[in-house]
Amino acid sequence: MTATEARGDLLAASGPPGHVYSINQQGRKYSGPPAWQRKYFTGIVGCDIAAGFFGAAVAFSARFGNLNDHSQVYALALIAMPAVWIAVLGLSRAFESRYLFVGTEEYQRVVHAAVALTAVVALASYGLELPTSRVFVLIAIPTAAFTSIAARFAWRKWLHRMRRQGRCMKRVVLVGHESSVAALIVQLRREHYHGLNVVAACLPTERAQGALLEFDTRVRGTFDRIGEAVAAERADTVIVLSCPEIDGRALRRLAWNLERSEVDLIVASALVDVAGDRTTVRPVDGLPMLHLDHANLTGVRRWAKGTVDKIGAAFGLLMLSPLLLGAAFLIRCTSPGPAVFKQERIGKDGQPFTIWKFRTMYTDAERRLSHLAHLNESDGVLFKMKDDPRITPVGKYLRRFSIDEFPQLVNVLRGDMSLVGPRPPLATEVAAYEADMRRRLVVKPGMTGLWQVSGRSDLPWEEAVRLDLRYVEHWTLSLDFVILLRTVTAILRPHGAY
């Protein structure tokens, strides 16, 4: 028997008390999901029922206005629509916990349900030759879907508020090597929206000896004491990081034993920032193989992104023109120099282009930079300084609310930039890039991106790069839409804008 197999046997049900099997032996019994999960689930179900009724009521009022012999059949939809809507959402798996609480999949499931219900009604009406009112259908279903999404978004924001207060969190035991555990703790503590609170760790050694000494996370022994750690900490989630000591056999037995008390098991893939649609599990001779598809950087979806960019930029310039003219007027009135600042940046495939921004600094800012270099507060190739004396009084407000970025809509319209993408770098920054960072240049830079909605200038350099790379690997139109919505929130709550 190999050492790995021996360790796997320690994780088996036959292990002595104190090992994984001791979860139930120490009296831990599953009593259903926690109260906050039940409240969240009950809330979205109630809101979805109300959304179905509201959609039918709006459609009935818009199409018929009052009850008569012709419309009384559709009045029944006020009763039927909530039940039908809940059923379709259930079939679309919109109530499964794997899609709730975090991410955009929950909203996508609602959209899928609306599209499917519309298609079914259309096919049934055509096939059975039913005199269905198209206006009623095209108002009721989209209204119900929009209301459900809005209600779920409101519940999500409630959950985020609770988690900022340290409530509604999952208690997590991390399993892996010390450096990997410490890195994940740093990442999880950066924001609380994910709801994962690390309460303990199991390492290959009995106690921390390196990176984990900087944290207050308790070490509950080695890998053969995972069960004891879960029971002692009353944890409801175990995250296993990539490590050779826990192979497939040991992991399988760990999953068997954790399921007895309904403790969630999460395996953190070694494929950093690569997941979602690009990964699929396909059996090969009975063995599950994780297949990794290449990032989709060309094709119809990229053409669609370019089309959306140009339409969005044209619409934005039209709607924001009074604000743009007002900002330009204030800049010219409060400091000498042009209102618009032009600078060379590096775009897609390393091609330089001229970026447009409102001028927020005095005209001698570049000359004064060398005298301020020692005050750089950034940990990377960027120069960042919260109280930069080169910024004009008006410029501080323009930066705070990102108004200085709005002229870049012209760059988007010209095709140099995208609405959403990696941050447009300077040539000096690109010259200092490591090999991995150049991956950011395979797509157009964006006016906003994951870096913008995740902290802006408050982000460490490595985290900003990681977010840009994640965007490149996972780009979708739906992700762009979510980032644009989050950008509005980031602008109204301008943390890290300087």
Side-chain angles (χ1 to χ4, degrees):
M1 179 181 292
T2 65
T4 303
E5 290 173 335
R7 186 174 298 277
D9 286 338
L10 288 174
L11 296 172
S14 58
H19 292 189
V20 173
Y21 185 60
S22 65
I23 295 174
N24 281 348
Q25 291 177 335
Q26 295 192 24
R28 179 181 175 90
K29 295 182 179 179
Y30 181 63
S31 58
W36 68 266
Q37 285 193 24
R38 294 194 296 269
K39 180 178 180 179
Y40 188 98
F41 182 80
T42 303
I44 63 172
V45 170
C47 289
D48 288 336
I49 292 173
F53 178 84
F54 180 70
V58 170
F60 184 87
S61 177
R63 175 61 179 86
F64 303 106
N66 52 56
L67 187 64
N68 52 48
D69 293 339
H70 177 60
S71 64
Q72 62 182 358
V73 174
Y74 290 92
L76 297 176
L78 297 175
I79 301 174
M81 183 64 181
V84 172
W85 183 234
I86 286 292
V88 175
L89 287 173
L91 292 174
S92 296
R93 305 166 72 182
F95 299 115
E96 292 189 12
S97 59
R98 70 177 70 182
Y99 303 126
L100 302 178
F101 315 130
V102 68
T104 61
E105 188 70 22
E106 178 180 357
Y107 309 124
Q108 293 175 9
R109 294 284 164 179
V110 176
V111 174
H112 294 165
V115 173
L117 181 57
T118 303
V120 169
V121 172
L123 291 174
S125 300
Y126 178 78
L128 301 177
E129 298 183 354
L130 299 175
T132 305
S133 171
R134 291 189 294 270
V135 174
F136 182 89
V137 173
L138 293 178
I139 293 178
I141 297 178
T143 301
F146 178 82
T147 306
S148 285
I149 291 175
R152 286 167 179 256
F153 178 79
W155 275 102
R156 182 76 64 86
K157 301 309 289 185
W158 168 82
L159 183 59
H160 289 175
R161 288 196 300 271
M162 293 297 103
R163 286 176 170 173
R164 281 197 299 270
Q165 300 170 14
R167 302 163 61 185
C168 303
M169 303 287 284
K170 291 187 176 182
R171 298 177 62 81
V172 178
V173 172
L174 292 182
V175 179
H177 285 239
E178 189 170 353
S179 59
S180 300
V181 169
L184 186 57
I185 290 175
V186 171
Q187 190 170 337
L188 293 179
R189 287 184 177 181
R190 188 165 290 125
E191 63 177 38
H192 298 286
Y193 293 157
H194 47 68
L196 300 176
N197 179 31
V198 179
V199 295
C202 290
L203 308 176
T205 56
E206 286 286 345
R207 57 182 58 87
Q209 300 175 345
L212 208 56
L213 293 174
E214 302 178 8
F215 303 93
D216 56 359
T217 302
R218 288 182 292 274
V219 177
R220 289 288 185 177
T222 57
F223 294 158
D224 56 0
R225 302 182 65 182
I226 298 174
E228 182 179 337
V230 170
E233 299 290 346
R234 299 195 63 79
D236 49 28
T237 303
V238 173
I239 299 180
V240 179
L241 304 177
S242 179
C243 54
E245 290 86 349
I246 300 183
D247 61 359
R249 182 180 180 186
L251 189 62
R252 181 175 65 246
R253 292 184 174 182
L254 174 61
W256 290 344
N257 288 287
L258 291 179
E259 73 180 4
R260 302 179 184 186
S261 54
E262 295 292 336
V263 175
D264 292 335
L265 176 61
I266 300 174
V267 179
S269 172
L271 298 173
V272 178
D273 289 331
V274 178
D277 295 337
R278 291 186 55 204
T279 57
T280 54
V281 178
R282 309 173 195 170
V284 177
D285 195 22
L287 297 175
M289 296 288 184
L290 186 64
H291 287 246
L292 176 63
D293 297 329
H294 293 297
N296 190 356
L297 304 175
T298 59
V300 176
R301 293 202 306 168
R302 286 294 169 183
W303 174 85
K305 177 179 174 65
T307 302
V308 171
D309 284 339
K310 291 186 182 299
I311 295 174
F315 180 76
L317 285 172
L318 180 64
M319 297 299 296
L320 296 173
S321 55
L323 177 63
L324 298 178
L325 293 173
F329 178 77
L330 287 175
I331 294 170
R332 291 299 302 271
C333 290
T334 56
S335 64
V340 176
F341 172 72
K342 299 180 181 180
Q343 188 179 50
E344 184 179 275
R345 296 291 180 101
I346 304 301
K348 186 176 182 295
D349 298 327
Q351 296 299 315
F353 71 98
T354 301
I355 195 172
W356 290 24
K357 302 178 67 175
F358 279 130
R359 181 174 58 84
T360 59
M361 292 186 172
Y362 294 104
T363 53
D364 61 347
E366 292 294 328
R367 180 175 55 82
R368 297 166 61 184
L369 178 59
S370 59
H371 301 290
L372 301 172
H374 64 287
L375 300 175
N376 187 13
E377 299 175 10
S378 172
D379 58 353
V381 299
L382 300 177
F383 178 85
K384 289 292 182 181
M385 185 176 175
K386 287 186 177 180
D387 297 317
D388 195 328
R390 302 174 300 161
I391 300 177
T392 65
V394 171
K396 291 182 179 179
Y397 290 96
L398 296 179
R399 288 189 171 210
R400 183 182 180 187
F401 296 101
S402 299
I403 298 174
D404 60 317
E405 310 283 352
F406 289 171
Q408 294 171 28
L409 289 169
V410 176
N411 291 113
V412 177
L413 202 59
R414 294 174 55 182
D416 298 326
M417 294 178 62
S418 175
L419 291 176
V420 181
R423 176 188 170 276
L426 294 165
T428 54
E429 297 171 15
V430 175
Y433 276 0
E434 298 177 0
D436 288 352
M437 297 182 190
R438 293 186 176 273
R439 179 69 171 173
R440 305 166 77 197
L441 303 179
V442 301
V443 298
K444 292 179 182 179
M447 290 184 60
T448 185
L450 285 175
W451 53 272
Q452 170 87 344
V453 300
S454 302
R456 294 197 266 189
S457 296
D458 285 341
L459 286 176
W461 170 248
E462 287 188 2
E463 178 66 8
V465 171
R466 187 181 68 84
L467 291 172
D468 279 344
L469 294 178
R470 181 196 295 177
Y471 175 81
V472 173
E473 299 298 319
H474 295 284
W475 173 84
T476 61
L477 277 176
S478 60
L479 176 60
D480 279 4
F481 180 70
V482 171
I483 291 175
L484 288 172
L485 289 179
R486 290 181 62 186
T487 299
V488 176
T489 304
I491 291 175
L492 296 177
R493 190 177 54 195
H495 298 300
Y498 53 87

